[in-house]
Amino acid sequence: MKMSYLAHEVELSKRHEEILALRTTLLQQMKSQLEDQRNEKKLQSVESESATERNASLLKDLETAEENLRARAHVHLHPSVVTLETRYWASVEEQLPKWEEFLLGRTKSPVEVRNARHKKSQKEAPRDKLRIKNTNLPPSALTFKTPPQSEKLF
């Protein structure tokens, strides 16, 4: 019986050493994997900082370009164009409350709409009813001269 206990003890000892060797191998793999993860996080952090700096630089460049374009646009506009633009926006601001009420469904359209189907009846109708009041419209494009085309816009 002693022999069987000794053989069993030797077998268990060998198995224990195999398990310890396997454990050591797994611990080494885990350390290696952890080191790889740390290195990857460092690399991602560096890349992230680099991308943030690049994006900030690009944003600054875009803002500078936008300011330059705005400055150029205002420098090269002909005075009549600036006048037209100012009058247009003043007209828009004046008409906006009427159109808001119309679009919200609270009032009728601020402008009388002509229907293409009733051209014959329009010819027979008095012209006073078909004309749109000039006081409610922005200045006509026909009353302004076009700016000279010799200047380059950019």
Side-chain angles (χ1 to χ4, degrees):
M1 260 187 142
K2 251 187 172 183
M3 211 41 171
S4 70
Y5 284 124
L6 186 60
H8 188 57
E9 189 69 31
V10 169
E11 189 180 319
L12 286 176
S13 179
K14 285 181 182 178
R15 180 72 181 137
H16 178 70
E17 286 188 24
E18 288 174 3
I19 291 172
L20 288 178
L22 183 61
R23 179 179 180 268
T24 304
T25 305
L26 289 174
L27 284 173
Q28 287 298 325
Q29 287 177 352
M30 287 176 61
K31 283 182 183 179
S32 175
Q33 213 172 27
L34 182 62
E35 190 64 32
D36 289 346
Q37 287 177 348
R38 285 182 183 160
N39 289 339
E40 192 170 330
K41 280 187 179 182
K42 286 179 185 177
L43 180 63
Q44 286 177 347
S45 175
V46 169
E47 288 176 348
S48 174
E49 289 174 12
S50 173
T52 301
E53 290 174 7
R54 184 186 70 241
N55 290 345
S57 174
L58 288 172
L59 182 61
K60 185 178 177 182
D61 291 346
L62 284 173
E63 288 171 351
T64 303
E66 184 179 8
E67 288 174 13
N68 289 341
L69 285 173
R70 283 188 182 151
R72 273 194 214 159
H74 288 296
V75 169
H76 294 292
L77 287 180
H78 192 271
S80 63
V81 174
V82 174
T83 304
L84 278 173
E85 184 179 13
T86 305
R87 289 176 134 183
Y88 170 77
W89 286 113
S91 173
V92 167
E93 289 176 5
E94 180 184 315
Q95 295 296 318
L96 191 60
K98 295 177 186 176
W99 282 100
E100 284 178 346
E101 293 295 314
F102 167 69
L103 293 172
L104 291 172
R106 296 179 185 155
T107 61
K108 292 173 28 178
S109 172
V111 178
E112 185 177 325
V113 180
R114 294 182 182 184
N115 192 346
R117 293 181 190 171
H118 302 289
K119 284 187 178 180
K120 290 180 183 176
S121 63
Q122 284 180 356
K123 289 180 182 177
E124 295 170 5
R127 288 188 166 245
D128 295 335
K129 290 182 181 179
L130 295 177
R131 287 194 178 182
I132 300 171
K133 294 181 182 178
N134 288 335
T135 57
N136 291 337
L137 296 176
S140 170
L142 299 175
T143 61
F144 294 101
K145 295 179 181 177
T146 57
Q149 298 296 325
S150 62
E151 295 181 32
K152 289 187 177 180
L153 293 178
F154 294 100

